[in-house]
Amino acid sequence: MKCIVPVLLVGVGNRGRWPVERCRPENGWRIVGLVDQSEAHLSEARVRAGVAEAACFRDVAMALAATRPQAMIVCTPTVTHVPMARLGIDRGVAVLIEKGMAPCWRDAVELVGYTAANGGVVAVAQNYRYDGVSALLRRALGAGEPYSVEAPFLIDYVQHRVRPQPRTLTYPFASVWDMSCHHFDNLLHWIGPVVEMTAHGYRASYTPYEHDNNTSAFLRFRNGVCVNYVHTHDASRASLRIEVHGVNGALVVRDERAEFSARPVVNFGVCPAAAV
């Protein structure tokens, strides 16, 4: 018999729509409650989830007491994640929080310590490692594919985003905790632990962000691979570019289109690129 886990969904608009869609009985879940500050978000999610109006709440503590879930999925602004996770831990509920984990290193360490001290279960949803681009890069850094990159030594990882309004990203290094965490999780998943990193934060003169919202970094990994990393929010055109260079060729992903080309044997040579 399949185990059905009663789950409370906290934050059901915007980024919080995916748990409403995925937490179905056929996937092993039963939605017992919804929490959101927006009446519109609650109304939409209630219809999609097929739950009664009595299962909708504005307060997390009240919802936990009334619904008695075994799990809680939190898709609210990053600054709320630690206190909400603690509420779940205090009630013996397993907690999955959407990225980022916390708004600063101190709060992240505090949450890990509180979870361990109270025998809790808390995880961070790093779902970017399962999308098509990430899966392709993971395979390319292995062996056996026609586009596999042998002996990789250099990766360029560049994402420019057009995000002119700070919204909830009003704390220091918010872009790192909110988005770069996905990119770093991908790199760790693909190539292992980091041994050295140098990073800089910066921003455009016209930015409305109070704190630096762009990041550049150089990372060296234990296996010798080096990564040039760039992530911006002040861009005027959105783009994603990931290049992996190795002894036999390069795999280049630009805006979800991938090509592989062999390594030329002459200076400044160019080899035909094949679509992947």
Side-chain angles (χ1 to χ4, degrees):
M1 179 182 293
K2 177 183 286 188
C3 176
I4 304 296
V5 179
V7 61
L8 175 68
L9 306 184
V10 181
V12 293
N14 302 321
R15 288 288 300 181
R17 287 189 173 95
W18 70 262
V20 178
E21 298 168 355
R22 301 299 178 91
C23 292
R24 304 292 182 182
E26 59 267 27
N27 297 327
W29 301 94
R30 177 170 61 89
I31 299 174
V32 295
L34 306 171
V35 184
D36 204 288
Q37 295 297 308
S38 166
E39 186 61 43
H41 289 166
L42 281 175
S43 297
E44 179 188 349
R46 182 170 67 84
V47 172
R48 287 162 50 220
V51 301
E53 189 172 351
C56 297
F57 301 86
R58 298 291 186 90
D59 182 79
V60 177
M62 186 179 298
L64 284 166
T67 61
R68 305 177 122 188
Q70 292 179 8
M72 178 170 73
I73 300 177
V74 179
C75 296
T76 56
T78 299
V79 294
T80 67
H81 287 176
V82 172
M84 288 189 179
R86 289 173 66 113
L87 286 173
I89 293 168
D90 291 344
R91 285 194 166 269
V93 174
V95 182
L96 179 69
I97 50 180
E98 180 64 283
K99 58 84 181 175
M101 178 180 179
C104 65
W105 176 254
R106 181 198 62 215
D107 289 359
V109 171
E110 176 190 317
L111 178 56
V112 170
Y114 191 83
T115 304
N118 292 276
V121 177
V122 176
V124 183
Q126 296 287 10
N127 44 27
Y128 273 46
R129 68 162 61 179
Y130 304 110
D131 68 15
V133 170
S134 299
L136 174 70
L137 268 295
R138 172 73 169 172
R139 293 196 302 270
L141 288 162
E145 301 286 356
Y147 52 82
S148 292
V149 179
E150 299 173 12
F153 76 97
L154 175 65
I155 296 177
D156 285 344
Y157 198 135
V158 179
Q159 183 171 36
H160 295 297
R161 305 182 81 200
V162 181
R163 200 183 191 284
Q165 300 303 321
R167 297 184 63 189
T168 61
L169 303 186
T170 56
Y171 51 94
F173 304 111
S175 64
V176 175
W177 288 94
D178 178 78
M179 193 65 209
S180 294
C181 62
H182 275 317
H183 302 153
F184 296 149
D185 180 70
N186 279 345
L187 290 168
L188 292 169
H189 183 56
W190 299 341
I191 53 181
V194 177
V195 295
E196 177 186 357
M197 179 176 181
T198 303
H200 299 274
Y202 56 100
R203 54 187 174 147
S205 60
Y206 50 79
T207 188
Y209 288 78
E210 177 185 358
H211 304 283
D212 290 350
N213 60 313
N214 305 311
T215 307
S216 295
F218 175 81
L219 301 90
R220 190 187 307 276
F221 288 74
R222 181 181 295 169
N223 62 1
V225 174
C226 294
V227 175
N228 293 312
Y229 174 77
V230 176
H231 172 233
T232 67
H233 278 168
D234 285 332
S236 297
R237 176 176 172 177
S239 66
L240 172 67
R241 177 176 59 84
I242 305 173
E243 298 187 14
V244 183
H245 295 261
V247 67
N248 65 318
L251 178 69
V252 177
V253 177
R254 286 192 176 95
D255 300 326
E256 299 191 5
R257 298 181 62 182
E259 294 180 338
F260 179 85
S261 57
R263 182 168 179 258
V265 296
V266 298
N267 288 354
F268 315 116
V270 177
C271 286
V276 176

